[in-house]
């Protein structure tokens, strides 16, 4: 009996029965009819199981008291209760199984309550989030309405200020046009002033030159009227003789060094700037280097032609009035050296660009032209024109694609094939003084260069009018 009573106490059956009654009471109005009936049947079953265990304990207790022990208690307490026609259903399972089922039922009810509370809390959170979202949506709608109102007001203000802005733009355009016209007028006046200054400088040089000639002539006239010892003394004064050097001859060595240095700077500075400029439009490095090489060669050809024409005009001008100890050619060269700024470099630039436009060995994108490298062409023309005043004049070495590489004239570029004997194309020309090489050029040597140069030369070369140097350029 003690073991059965202990198990009944440990299972806390009455506490479980009380909890189930309280839970059913709380949810009675929420459950449906079937759920309430099912909950009531569950409580009846649990009560019958507990009563079955109590009757087992009652039987064991009566057996322990003896044959007649407890009769009065059973008569006074149990029989009246049985007479009320309440029968206790016999348990179909053992006592241990009943207790384990009660515990499982308790655990299930506890889990159900926990899930229900978790569901209620989650549902409450969702409702709170939904409420906050609705509030935010209302706020956004209100902001959208305010923004639309501001946009409409801004449109109205813009429409009113647009007319005034257009009037201001027209007024500013008229002022800009007036300023541009005034600027053009000032530029023309400045050009005229530059011409005047150039003419004044030329006239001053002419006056100084004529003053020197006048002084020499006066000294000759004095010597011609003086006694015989005076001429012997005059022969000892070497600068007054006809063999005295001119200004061009006196400055030849310094001009020679300066021009060679300028040609070297042209390779290291202006060429790299023009190369960087062309690389924005042409991705092939070989084409860019060919363009720059041909531009320099054409610049020298155009400058030499311009020098011959300019020298012819100066000779024709000075031939009628030349009087002096130096020869006419020395006077012409001396005049050109003193007036290098009279060289019309722009016409040479135009000739170089025209020659490059018809050159079949190079091409250029249609959206730009060779005016893009006019700064390099301008400097090359000026250097070449000044080199013609030297004695002997400096010139570029003859070169052609597919020629035999010469270590005396060229150096190889870094991307060359150093075992190739032929020149694929030229990067920079060599500078010559007579037959001596002053500055080496730069070439690219590759195998098969002769075949490539022949395949390039098969394209027709269009002629160029007014250029006596076509025979030299045709090799490039």
């Amino acid at each position: 009996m003690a073991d059965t009573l202990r198990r009944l106490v440990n299972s806390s059956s009455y506490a479980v029965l009380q909890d189930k009654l309280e839970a059913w009471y709380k949810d009675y109005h929420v459950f449906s009819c079937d759920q309430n009936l099912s909950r009531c049947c569950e409580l009846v079953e649990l009560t019958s199981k507990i009563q079955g265990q109590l009757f087992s304990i009652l039987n064991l207790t009566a057996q322990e008291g003896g044959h007649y022990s407890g009769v009065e208690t059973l008569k006074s307490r149990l029989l009246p209760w049985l007479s009320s026609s309440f029968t206790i259903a016999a348990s179909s399972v053992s006592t241990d199984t009943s207790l384990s089922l009660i515990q499982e039922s308790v655990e299930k009810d506890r889990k159900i309550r926990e899930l229900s509370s978790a569901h209620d809390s989650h549902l409450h959170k969702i409702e709170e989030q939904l409420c906050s979202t609705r509030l935010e949506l209302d706020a956004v709608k209100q902001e959208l309405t305010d923004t639309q109102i501001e946009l409409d007001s801004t449109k109205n203000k813009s429409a009113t200020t647009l007319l005034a802005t257009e009037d201001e733009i027209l007024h500013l355009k008229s002022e800009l046009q007036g300023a541009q016209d005034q600027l053009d007028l000032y530029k023309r006046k400045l050009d005229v002033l530059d011409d005047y200054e150039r003419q004044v400088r030329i006239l001053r040089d002419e006056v100084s030159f004529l003053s020197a000639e006048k002084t020499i002539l006066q000294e000759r006239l004095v010597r011609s009227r003086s006694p015989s010892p005076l001429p012997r003394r005059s022969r000892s004064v070497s600068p007054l003789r006809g063999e005295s050097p001119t200004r061009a001859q006196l400055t030849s060595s310094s001009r020679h060094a300066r021009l060679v240095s300028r040609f070297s700077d042209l390779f290291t500075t202006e060429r790299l700037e023009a190369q960087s400029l062309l690389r924005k439009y042409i991705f092939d490095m070989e084409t860019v280097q060919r363009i720059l090489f041909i531009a320099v060669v054409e610049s020298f050809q155009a400058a030499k032609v311009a020098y011959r024409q300019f020298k012819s005009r100066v000779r024709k001008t000075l031939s009628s009035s030349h009087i002096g100890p130096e020869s006419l050619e020395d006077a012409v060269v001396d005049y050109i050296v003193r007036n290098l700024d009279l060289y019309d470099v722009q016409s040479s630039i135009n000739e170089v660009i025209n020659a490059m436009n018809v050159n079949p060995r190079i091409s250029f994108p249609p959206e730009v032209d060779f005016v893009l490298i006019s700064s390099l062409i301008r400097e090359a023309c000026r250097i070449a024109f000044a080199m013609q005043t030297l004695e002997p004049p400096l010139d570029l070495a003859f070169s052609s694609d597919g020629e035999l590489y010469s270590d005396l004239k060229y150096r190889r570029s870094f991307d060359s094939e150093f075992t190739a004997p032929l020149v694929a194309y030229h990067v920079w020309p060599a500078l010559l003084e007579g037959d001596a090489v002053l500055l080496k050029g730069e070439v690219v040597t590759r195998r098969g260069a002769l075949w490539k140069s022949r395949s390039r030369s098969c394209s027709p070369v269009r002629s160029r009018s007014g250029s006596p140097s076509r025979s030299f350029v045709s090799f490039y």
Side-chain angles (χ1 to χ4, degrees), residues 13-29:
S13 301
Y14 286 99
V16 172
L17 182 61
Q18 182 64 29
D19 292 339
K20 285 184 176 292
L21 285 173
E22 291 178 356
W24 184 27
Y25 176 74
K26 291 179 181 180
D27 298 334
Y28 181 80
H29 299 286

Side-chain angles (χ1 to χ4, degrees), residues 282-393:
I282 302 175
F283 298 102
D284 186 15
M285 191 63 180
E286 177 180 346
T287 304
V288 171
Q289 292 177 341
R290 284 180 180 272
I291 289 174
L292 298 179
F293 174 77
I294 292 175
V296 174
V297 173
E298 291 287 351
S299 299
F300 267 75
Q301 297 302 316
K304 288 192 293 184
V305 173
Y307 177 79
R308 288 194 293 268
Q309 295 174 356
F310 187 73
K311 186 177 182 180
S312 176
R313 291 196 302 270
V314 173
R315 185 187 297 111
K316 183 178 180 180
T317 303
L318 296 180
S319 60
S320 60
S321 61
H322 173 68
I323 298 174
E326 72 277 1
S327 63
L328 178 61
E329 289 297 323
D330 292 338
V332 170
V333 174
D334 187 64
Y335 180 84
I336 295 175
V337 170
R338 288 185 289 108
N339 298 278
L340 289 175
D341 54 346
L342 297 179
Y343 168 44
D344 187 10
V345 66
Q346 187 59 43
S347 91
S348 296
I349 293 174
N350 296 334
E351 290 182 6
V352 172
I353 292 175
N354 292 333
M356 294 177 68
N357 285 330
V358 298
N359 196 309
R361 310 300 295 275
I362 55 178
S363 60
F364 215 54
E367 62 271 10
V368 292
D369 53 17
F370 292 110
V371 180
L372 197 66
I373 57 173
S374 58
S375 60
L376 173 68
I377 299 173
R378 183 186 303 276
E379 185 65 19
C381 289
R382 287 177 175 173
I383 294 174
F385 187 86
M387 284 181 176
Q388 306 310 307
T389 62
L390 300 175
E391 185 60 35

Side-chain angles (χ1 to χ4, degrees), residues 137-334:
L137 181 61
D138 294 336
V140 170
K141 287 182 179 180
Q142 184 63 33
E143 291 180 358
L144 182 61
T145 304
D146 297 339
T147 305
Q148 185 66 33
I149 294 172
E150 292 180 359
L151 180 60
D152 294 337
S153 62
T154 305
K155 285 183 178 179
N156 295 329
K157 292 179 181 179
S158 300
T160 54
T161 57
L162 181 60
L163 298 176
T165 305
E166 290 179 353
D167 295 337
E168 291 178 358
I169 290 173
L170 294 176
H171 180 66
L172 291 175
K173 283 184 178 179
S174 62
E175 290 183 354
L176 179 61
Q177 185 64 32
Q180 288 179 351
D181 296 338
Q182 192 173 5
L183 180 61
D184 295 337
L185 179 60
Y186 287 156
K187 284 184 178 179
R188 288 194 295 269
K189 290 182 180 180
L190 184 61
D191 294 337
V192 172
L193 183 60
D194 292 338
D195 294 336
Y196 287 160
E197 290 179 353
R198 188 182 298 109
Q199 292 178 8
V200 168
R201 188 167 57 253
I202 294 171
L203 291 175
R204 285 178 180 175
D205 293 338
E206 293 291 339
V207 168
S208 62
F209 181 73
L210 293 175
S211 299
E213 288 185 351
K214 180 181 178 181
T215 304
I216 295 172
L217 290 176
Q218 287 178 353
E219 291 178 356
R220 285 185 178 181
L221 182 61
V222 171
R223 287 198 304 272
S224 65
R225 294 177 181 179
S226 63
S228 58
L230 188 59
R232 289 196 299 269
R233 187 181 303 170
S234 65
R235 285 196 299 270
S236 65
V237 184
S238 60
L240 298 178
R241 295 184 300 174
E243 291 82 4
S244 62
T246 63
R247 179 180 177 183
Q249 293 172 348
L250 289 173
T251 61
S252 179
S253 59
S254 62
R255 289 188 297 110
H256 180 280
R258 186 172 67 254
L259 291 173
V260 172
S261 177
R262 285 176 63 187
F263 187 79
S264 178
D265 293 339
L266 186 69
F267 172 74
T268 58
T269 305
E270 282 83 357
R271 182 188 69 90
L272 295 179
E273 292 177 357
Q275 178 174 301
S276 300
L277 194 59
L278 290 178
R279 289 286 287 173
K280 297 178 181 179
Y281 305 96
I282 302 175
F283 298 102
D284 186 15
M285 191 63 180
E286 177 180 346
T287 304
V288 171
Q289 292 177 341
R290 284 180 180 272
I291 289 174
L292 298 179
F293 174 77
I294 292 175
V296 174
V297 173
E298 291 287 351
S299 299
F300 267 75
Q301 297 302 316
K304 288 192 293 184
V305 173
Y307 177 79
R308 288 194 293 268
Q309 295 174 356
F310 187 73
K311 186 177 182 180
S312 176
R313 291 196 302 270
V314 173
R315 185 187 297 111
K316 183 178 180 180
T317 303
L318 296 180
S319 60
S320 60
S321 61
H322 173 68
I323 298 174
E326 72 277 1
S327 63
L328 178 61
E329 289 297 323
D330 292 338
V332 170
V333 174
D334 187 64

Side-chain angles (χ1 to χ4, degrees), residues 443-457:
V443 296
V444 176
T445 57
R446 290 173 186 164
R447 295 194 177 276
L450 182 60
W451 178 81
K452 292 180 181 179
S453 64
R454 289 178 178 176
S455 64
R456 287 179 178 269
S457 63

